[in-house]
Amino acid sequence: MKNIFILFIAISAILTPAMNYGSGDPFSQTKFVPAISFIMDVSWLNRDLNGFSTEGFEIPGFLHAGHTDGHSHSGSIVNGVKGFNLNYAELSLFATVDPYFDLFTSFHLSEDSFEIEEVYVSTRKLPHGFRLKIGKFLSSFGRFNAQHAHTWNFQELPLVYHVFFGVDGLNEKGVQLNWVAPIDFYLTLGCEILQGENCASFGVEEEEFYSDDEGKGEDAKVPGLLTLFGKSSVDIGDLVILGGVSYAGGETRSVHEGTEGEHLLSGSSEVFGFDVTLKYLLDSYRYISLQTEYMNREFDGKLSGSYQNIGDGDQEASFTRSQAGFYSEFVFRFSRLWRTAARLDMLVRNSVEIDGIDEGLPKNMKRYSFMFDYTPTEFSRIRLQYNYNKYLYYNGDLKNFGEMNLQLNISVGAHGAHPF
Amino acid sequence: MKKKLIIIFIIVGLLFFTSVVEAKLKVVATYNYIGDLVKKIGGDKVKVIALAKGYKDPHFVTPRPSFIAKMRQADLLIMNGGQLEIGWLPPIIRKANNPKVNPGSPGLLDLFEFIDAIDVPLEVSRAQGDVHPDGNPHFHLNPENILKVSEAIKNKLIEVDSANMENYQNNFEEFSAKWKQKIEEWKKAMKPFEGKNVVQYHKNCDYFLNWAGMKKIGTLEPVPGIPPTTKHILFMIDVIKHKGCEFIIHDVYHMKKPSRFVSNRTGVKMVILPHDVGAVNEATDIISLFDEIVRRLTK
């Protein structure tokens, strides 16, 4: 309720100048109103599975039961339950601050929360092709991470992103420096120094884990996360090739609620990513595109607390994870209004060792997705999507199931530019 | 790890220094017709790159990452404006990290500021389709507007590169004299069509038709940017039969089926008009573009 109140104040603060001062007012500020856009996303879902949602399911070695939503913020999960879903709404503001900065904000709204997904300034005047971003933003790691949900080709983010970074992706407070090379083909290099609060791979706080102990644990140093990325692109006629390599490395501190009780992971993780996109433009509207991203994660550290093989209470064990996954998607926009696409998600490596002993966790977990979408204008989209899931476990057993959803995505206000 | 970092630094450093400043002024133009005007006025003192392909829909340009590399090195960006580039240009400028071409900088020239727009809507609602709140952006098909924007381009080139002022001034005078002469030629050729009715697929030749004194009696798109519906097509067939019509004008990038259907049903000639330099083989520069438009209408 409080959040809705804040939203109301925010919107009225933005609109007030436009309403109160008509033309002829010498103090009119109307022309300084930032570019505003608003997006809504709703869907209807059915899955051939008993139960209302997938609560209690897990992805062994990646996400625990109760955390299969990737530690999402309250209510921000897409297609959470059978039936109607209000997936999210998004309010974005963009304006040039002064000759030196641009400001971009994006608020993520769900039925009962109002969150700052992104708020950052970006420099306008740095020389030699440099740009600095300061604030909270979606990391430029990989191809997919920085894209907003309404531009995705499928309704959910790729599985490998889900398990490594959570459903909100790598979205952190910090700074980014990037550089565009002054050469005839596209090459950009960048690095980010981030707080390191990602729920799935990184973290700096041990939270309350040792609160009833003798102050045993230690919070990690901050900032806890460093990313590096390089992207390059060439055109061969109407074929556009874009490739990138990315790295994210930092501290990991995360408290998990397992089936046997609470345990803490502490150590450090490194994620390497490799992506390539081929897009062939058939004419002004039609294209074929093939996009794939492979990611590998290495965690080295220790596990403390209650966990199946190490007993109860304050036990400690060395713990390593060596995991990888990829997705490949094929999109065909076969007319101005229609697109179809298929995606394969796969987690191909899942080696978890406790005190040097391999846990023998399952691998080759998969998801197949197909979709058709209809985009009558640039401001509305209707999408029918089918997923066949072979990655969720319940009480140790793999549950295969299909799900079908029908999604409506609407945007109003400022005209968003099309991402590549 | 350390070794790798050193190698990366060396590569970056090399890239840095290989970008030795070229003597020519680097101009990025969003569309071919702008690129051609810059070539005509800049002569050999400028290096021009046009981003969009002339044979594609100017509203839907794929924002290729290679555009960012071109924008990164630009001394000057010249755009059409009127929100024609709204769907693809802003992120290219933002990602290029080039302060010279940021909105508000002297290195960005918006040609729309120099012409009088037509069809500026009083009320704007997207229920009317893909409306341009500042008016119809396809102004370059009025030959008089070409004179206005070439002068703006000349002034801008002089502003950012005053050393070559004389060159720009001379080229501009030569071009505008030639252009004025061509206007008379085209006017004469189009004279017989003054007052005649015409139907377009999309409102992209309005400026030319107004200039030629032709009467626009409708478009096959029910509202801009929305593909024709059966109902609207039948309505337009009725309008054509009732009012009479000289041409059905179609562009090079939309599907020809709806226009061909109406043409077959009514017996009115369908003419495919190039909208930009490079839209058809004959339109190799701004002069031959207009030559070709006039030739296709009058043949």
Side-chain angles (χ1 to χ4, degrees):
Chain A
M1 199 57 214
K2 199 177 152 202
N3 290 315
I4 290 166
F5 185 60
I6 294 169
L7 169 65
F8 179 72
I9 293 190
I11 291 177
S12 43
I14 292 155
L15 297 179
T16 312
M19 291 189 291
N20 282 1
Y21 307 108
S23 60
D25 188 306
F27 306 111
S28 171
Q29 306 255 14
T30 330
K31 295 228 156 147
F32 291 111
V33 173
I36 303 169
S37 70
F38 188 82
I39 289 162
M40 73 167 238
D41 190 290
V42 292
S43 64
W44 177 86
L45 172 81
N46 197 17
R47 37 170 97 90
D48 54 10
L49 192 69
N50 293 326
F52 199 49
S53 71
T54 54
E55 217 179 304
F57 283 68
E58 63 175 344
I59 310 175
F62 292 98
L63 296 169
H64 288 290
H67 286 153
T68 37
D69 60 356
H71 300 239
S72 161
H73 305 302
S74 52
S76 73
I77 187 158
V78 161
N79 282 334
V81 300
K82 283 185 190 173
F84 290 107
N85 284 277
L86 169 54
N87 295 318
Y88 65 87
E90 190 183 293
L91 176 68
S92 311
L93 306 178
F94 171 81
T96 293
V97 179
D98 57 20
Y100 312 105
F101 295 106
D102 285 331
L103 176 109
F104 181 85
T105 68
S106 165
F107 302 106
H108 190 90
L109 284 62
S110 68
E111 265 179 282
D112 43 22
S113 72
F114 183 98
E115 292 156 11
I116 299 179
E117 187 183 16
E118 289 192 289
V119 54
Y120 62 86
V121 291
S122 152
T123 56
R124 293 165 60 85
K125 289 256 166 165
L126 288 192
H128 306 300
F130 286 100
R131 189 160 52 105
L132 198 59
K133 257 178 161 179
I134 305 158
K136 183 187 179 191
F137 49 85
L138 288 161
S139 164
S140 297
F141 180 99
R143 167 84 168 109
F144 184 86
N145 194 68
Q147 293 179 6
H148 281 243
H150 60 96
T151 67
W152 296 351
N153 295 328
F154 293 87
Q155 203 170 3
E156 302 88 3
L157 76 175
L159 193 53
V160 65
Y161 271 91
H162 183 164
V163 297
F164 285 170
F165 298 140
V167 291
D168 301 315
L170 200 53
N171 182 208
E172 295 263 350
K173 295 185 279 281
V175 293
Q176 180 196 84
L177 181 69
N178 71 68
W179 177 69
V180 181
I183 50 176
D184 289 338
F185 63 93
Y186 176 61
L187 173 68
T188 183
L189 303 172
C191 77
E192 292 162 347
I193 296 165
L194 305 167
Q195 185 71 2
E197 296 173 314
N198 182 264
C199 53
S201 279
F202 304 104
V204 285
E205 251 187 295
E206 299 204 340
E207 298 183 20
E208 304 294 298
F209 190 71
Y210 287 111
S211 60
D212 53 348
D213 209 56
E214 303 84 53
K216 203 163 123 190
E218 227 181 287
D219 287 345
K221 278 181 288 191
V222 286
L225 176 59
L226 169 77
T227 74
L228 301 169
F229 56 87
K231 299 166 204 275
S232 186
S233 172
V234 288
D235 292 347
I236 302 170
D238 280 325
L239 175 68
V240 183
I241 304 169
L242 172 67
V245 285
S246 307
Y247 165 84
E251 299 287 344
T252 303
R253 298 288 185 277
S254 84
V255 178
H256 289 263
E257 189 74 54
T259 32
E260 304 83 10
E262 223 178 29
H263 57 266
L264 166 79
L265 281 183
S266 63
S268 61
S269 295
E270 288 189 317
V271 183
F272 276 97
F274 168 75
D275 64 87
V276 63
T277 305
L278 304 174
K279 192 171 189 174
Y280 187 72
L281 309 169
L282 295 159
D283 56 30
S284 291
Y285 318 105
R286 295 181 306 142
Y287 65 79
I288 298 170
S289 123
L290 189 64
Q291 177 177 332
T292 190
E293 256 185 277
Y294 178 88
M295 281 155 70
N296 184 71
R297 175 172 75 177
E298 302 288 335
F299 167 85
D300 196 354
K302 62 179 202 260
L303 177 71
S304 350
S306 312
Y307 197 75
Q308 51 228 30
N309 295 354
I310 61 165
D312 294 334
D314 295 338
Q315 306 281 342
E316 247 182 49
S318 79
F319 190 77
T320 62
R321 292 194 287 199
S322 184
Q323 298 163 312
F326 74 91
Y327 74 90
S328 270
E329 65 185 34
F330 168 81
V331 182
F332 181 26
R333 186 176 176 189
F334 57 94
S335 86
R336 167 105 179 259
L337 308 177
W338 289 91
R339 297 192 311 168
T340 183
R343 179 165 77 186
L344 168 66
D345 278 293
M346 200 160 161
L347 303 175
V348 291
R349 279 179 67 209
N350 191 12
S351 150
V352 174
E353 288 184 3
I354 296 177
D355 274 338
I357 299 157
D358 194 282
E359 288 285 278
L361 295 180
K363 58 184 178 194
N364 291 336
M365 290 167 271
K366 294 182 200 89
R367 179 173 68 196
Y368 304 100
S369 309
F370 304 92
M371 77 86 186
F372 270 97
D373 68 16
Y374 174 65
T375 312
T377 68
E378 289 168 75
F379 307 99
S380 56
R381 168 180 292 146
I382 300 162
R383 176 185 290 153
L384 181 68
Q385 183 179 328
Y386 176 78
N387 289 344
Y388 189 69
N389 299 313
K390 295 174 80 173
Y391 67 97
L392 285 172
Y393 285 72
Y394 193 78
N395 285 337
D397 296 326
L398 177 66
K399 295 278 179 201
N400 295 339
F401 63 94
E403 55 188 5
M404 179 82 92
N405 71 69
L406 187 62
Q407 176 202 9
L408 177 66
N409 186 287
I410 298 290
S411 67
V412 296
H415 193 305
H418 323 128
F420 171 69
Chain B
M1 195 66 203
K2 231 179 200 171
K3 229 180 197 172
K4 274 184 208 160
L5 277 176
I6 291 169
I7 292 170
I8 290 172
F9 271 112
I10 291 173
I11 293 171
V12 170
L14 281 176
L15 291 173
F16 228 60
F17 293 107
T18 47
S19 66
V20 189
V21 194
E22 265 181 68
K24 285 186 181 180
L25 190 73
K26 287 179 187 157
V27 182
V28 169
T30 50
Y31 299 104
N32 278 351
Y33 85 89
I34 302 173
D36 187 59
L37 288 176
V38 176
K39 249 180 240 164
K40 291 205 156 47
I41 299 163
D44 55 4
K45 302 295 179 200
V46 297
K47 187 184 167 211
V48 196
I49 295 172
L51 299 179
K53 297 253 192 285
Y55 53 87
K56 289 194 176 176
D57 188 338
H59 302 82
F60 298 94
V61 177
T62 304
R64 301 169 182 234
S66 62
F67 291 175
I68 300 171
K70 289 164 181 156
M71 199 68 81
R72 161 72 172 89
Q73 301 189 73
D75 296 307
L76 181 59
L77 165 64
I78 306 184
M79 58 185 276
N80 183 88
Q83 305 220 342
L84 189 56
E85 293 107 338
I86 191 84
W88 61 278
L89 191 60
I92 300 292
I93 298 178
R94 226 171 290 141
K95 287 180 183 166
N97 299 5
N98 180 355
K100 284 183 190 165
V101 297
N102 272 336
S105 311
L108 173 63
L109 179 66
D110 177 358
L111 298 180
F112 198 71
E113 287 172 21
F114 300 90
I115 57 101
D116 296 315
I118 60 172
D119 298 340
V120 183
L122 292 173
E123 300 282 335
V124 179
S125 161
R126 288 197 178 123
Q128 296 147 4
D130 188 13
V131 286
H132 294 282
D134 301 329
N136 187 320
H138 308 290
F139 61 81
H140 71 283
L141 292 180
N142 176 345
E144 304 286 349
N145 283 343
I146 292 295
L147 278 180
K148 293 181 190 169
V149 300
S150 343
E151 189 170 8
I153 291 170
K154 180 234 355 172
N155 290 340
K156 181 53 86 177
L157 288 174
I158 291 174
E159 184 192 325
V160 297
D161 182 27
S162 51
N164 292 310
M165 178 170 167
E166 213 166 299
N167 166 62
Y168 301 135
Q169 189 68 44
N170 293 343
N171 290 343
F172 168 71
E173 268 156 30
E174 193 183 315
F175 171 71
S176 68
K178 174 96 193 276
W179 191 258
K180 280 174 189 156
Q181 191 192 322
K182 289 301 282 188
I183 287 182
E184 292 311 312
E185 203 179 290
W186 296 322
K187 221 179 235 166
K188 220 163 119 195
M190 289 304 295
K191 190 78 187 159
F193 299 94
E194 213 178 290
K196 295 274 170 64
N197 291 342
V198 62
V199 164
Q200 300 177 84
Y201 179 88
H202 177 74
K203 291 162 80 72
N204 60 353
C205 292
D206 281 23
Y207 285 88
F208 182 84
L209 299 169
N210 281 6
W211 170 82
M214 296 190 78
K215 273 199 222 139
K216 298 156 295 178
I217 56 169
T219 58
L220 297 189
E221 286 181 335
V223 291
I226 304 287
T229 56
T230 317
K231 193 179 153 200
H232 186 71
I233 290 274
L234 295 175
F235 169 75
M236 284 311 298
I237 289 175
D238 264 1
V239 169
I240 291 171
K241 282 183 173 163
H242 185 71
K243 293 189 175 170
C245 180
E246 199 68 23
F247 310 112
I248 296 162
I249 293 178
H250 198 87
D251 51 61
V252 297
Y253 47 85
H254 280 112
M255 279 212 308
K256 293 173 188 69
K257 225 168 102 188
S259 294
R260 193 170 289 144
F261 176 79
V262 175
S263 170
N264 289 342
R265 276 294 191 84
T266 56
V268 175
K269 189 166 83 168
M270 168 177 143
V271 183
I272 294 171
L273 289 189
H275 64 288
D276 197 357
V277 173
V280 296
N281 290 337
E282 294 88 342
T284 52
D285 72 344
I286 187 82
I287 294 173
S288 54
L289 169 67
F290 277 82
D291 277 341
E292 186 59 19
I293 291 173
V294 172
R295 191 188 71 81
R296 288 185 181 217
L297 288 173
T298 55
K299 77 172 172 192

